[in-house]
Amino acid sequence: MSNAPVVAIGADFFSAYADIPRKKQGKVREFIDKFRINPTASGINYEKIRDGGVGFFSVRIDKAYRGIVHKPDSGNTYILLWVDHHDDAYDWARRHKVSVHPETGSLQVIDASVVSSVPETSPARADEEIPPLLRKLKDRHLASFGVPEEVIPALRAVTTEDELDAMARVLPEEAYDCLLLFVSGCTVQEIMAEISPDEPETVDTEDIEKALQHSDSKRRFWVVEDEIELAAMLAAPLEKWRVFLHPSQRRLVERDWNGPVRVLGGAGTGKTVAAIHRTKWLAENRFTGDSDRILFTTFTKNLAEDIRTALESITTPEVMKRIEITNLDEWVYKFLKRNDYGFAPAYGHITDPFWEKALSVAPSGFDDSFFREEWGKVILDRGIDTLEEYLHCSRSGRGTPLSRAQRKSIWPVFQEFRSILAEHSYKAPLDAMRDAANLIREKKGLLPYKAVIVDEAQDLGPREFSLINALVMDTEPENSLFIVGDAHQRIYGKKVVLRRVGINIMGRSRKLRINYRTTEENRNWAVALLSGVPFDDLNGGWDDQSGYKSLMHGAVPEVHRFDSFQEEIAFIIEKLTPLLPEVGKLDRVCIALRTNKLVQQYAEELGRHGLKPCVIKPSEKHDPERHGVRIATMHRVKGLEFDTMIIASANEGIIPHHKAVSGSDSITEEEGLVSEKALLYVAVTRARNNVLITGYGEMSGFLLNENSDGALH
């Protein structure tokens, strides 16, 4: 044990700090500054709390506010646990205790008053005898899960999952996680393999400093080591994900991997959180040289900006110098420009007139849409440059079969399109991406990257991953690639098999199962949308939603149908108006719409009724400091979260959008339909609490009826 004081801050302290008035927060920060430097200073007056937990003391913040500190009788570890108005702080201290779990060795905070109030027997049912839910678990199993001894009798009486959910408030998170996995069908052996618990040789229940290093403790306590990081945390609204990782996340983040890693997980399971913290850990612990660089890449520019904001909030400017954050298309453009490429990638509608000219040489018998689809899904995705390559390439996934003669007849269209692009100094983005990868391979040592972190991997295709693989080809394989994704959130129609582009994840595939964002009711509703649809695992296998579970519960999503747009908008305004008097309440509500045109329409209507709209534009990052109800496209809300999601104009022809589900063949149409379902799934799972889905006239075919029960086809 070291002689220098160890100062830690509990997750509950940060939550309490966020809730006190802003003018008082400055006083708290002043106290923490002194406390961090020397918790034994004479100016810190500890007052023993009568009837409080063992080792609990109050400290004076100002005349009205007190902090609660765990101060050891021996040792040199001090923990800030709570901050509140004088009487409320003392009440918290009398209700809680801190102890080291004798089996796991983790440091736990327990609300003793709640434990004592939980009945040890359930009310008898007149019609049937219901067996205990956890009857197959022995006390030693519960102890190995981290269940406090005093809670076990109450758990023995639990007969339903609802009763177990009610116990969440008295259980440490790790224990509740394990019990959820058990009732979801996992065996004790599978659960222990999933959580990979720390296994101390012996547990010293008096050694608080050692207990703080336990992986489960780190989801509740943060040891103060960096004053800059601490200042940043206290200066901004704190999201717990910034500091307190779940052990399953921490095991992915804080270790050396001997090759590429793939992490899967449903919406809200913390994949992006893990990617962010992985980047931070590598930059602080493995790649620390002045010339070392870590590339964090994702699919869209606005997601990259959101990631940048998150990383800047948890690390120092010096560390950020070693981290580059960008979407892949932007990286390609800048890289090629630095290397005198001479072409610019052609995006969006800029190619429409070029297609018109190219299609002038098209043979009869094919729709114009067929050529665009064949261009994107075959020619570009498979890197086809010549007729010979096209004649021999696989067209798996395309619904229109082609003979050798037909391939020959349509190839001139693609030749012509490429030629027209080149005449105007353009390249197709995926062609430019392939050229960038080839340039990197030709000029070894061209790049400084030690590692690449890939977020939203399900939205990247073979060309993108071929480039990503090239980015780290000159680096050591250890810690080189960290890939996170979820095919259930694939909204751009791209697919990849990692092994086919040279990325070997054998033995380094992991899955996150616990949802931290939304309620179990919202999650189940969203998952039902995807029922019966197979989803890949990014490597040629299959993934499903089995074993996923949310830690939170709430209302089932509501579905409301109206006869007209005016009725629908009146309903939304009625829901939002009561939030106006409370500063910041509207800021945590988002209205998601399928198109930019609808975003503008709904924003104008809200503005006319005195509800300030805050439009999140596709090309800009979300600014949480702006006031007003958020309005954005369903695509733009990806990566964000809000207390309440309102998905409006859920009408037939809009969700799914008629253009998205039209194609030259049945396979393309089905793929479009799946992408639209995934888009609605993404929008619903942005909600922390409540989901409202509204529409008028004929409702979306994805919704079963117009009742407010959230039922689905």
Side-chain angles (χ1 to χ4, degrees), residues 154-271:
L155 276 179
R156 287 297 178 206
V158 168
T159 59
T160 67
E161 288 193 40
D162 286 344
E163 291 176 3
L164 178 61
D165 292 335
M167 293 284 293
R169 58 184 180 152
V170 304
L171 287 166
E173 288 180 337
E174 66 270 20
Y176 185 54
D177 289 358
C178 292
L179 295 172
L180 282 180
L181 290 172
F182 177 77
V183 299
S184 297
C186 294
T187 66
V188 172
Q189 292 75 17
E190 289 170 338
I191 293 167
M192 299 309 289
E194 177 73 20
I195 65 174
S196 299
D198 297 345
E199 297 181 359
E201 297 176 5
T202 58
V203 174
D204 183 353
T205 57
E206 302 299 318
D207 193 341
I208 301 295
E209 184 176 351
K210 182 179 180 182
L212 280 172
Q213 301 307 311
H214 192 283
S215 60
D216 284 326
S217 303
K218 291 178 180 179
R219 61 201 298 192
R220 288 182 283 273
F221 303 97
W222 179 64
V223 177
V224 181
E225 296 175 338
D226 189 310
E227 66 178 295
I228 297 176
E229 187 173 351
L230 174 61
M233 289 163 55
L234 294 172
L238 181 79
E239 297 285 351
K240 284 187 178 181
W241 65 261
R242 292 184 181 178
V243 178
F244 302 104
L245 291 176
H246 187 280
S248 62
Q249 297 170 326
R250 192 175 296 280
R251 284 191 299 275
L252 298 175
V253 168
E254 299 178 359
R255 64 168 288 180
D256 292 309
W257 295 93
N258 62 0
V261 181
R262 180 208 61 193
V263 179
L264 300 178
T269 56
K271 300 180 300 299

Side-chain angles (χ1 to χ4, degrees), residues 126-138:
D127 57 339
E128 59 180 328
E129 184 71 26
I130 300 182
L133 186 67
L134 306 175
R135 63 189 182 278
K136 294 183 179 180
L137 290 176
K138 300 183 182 300

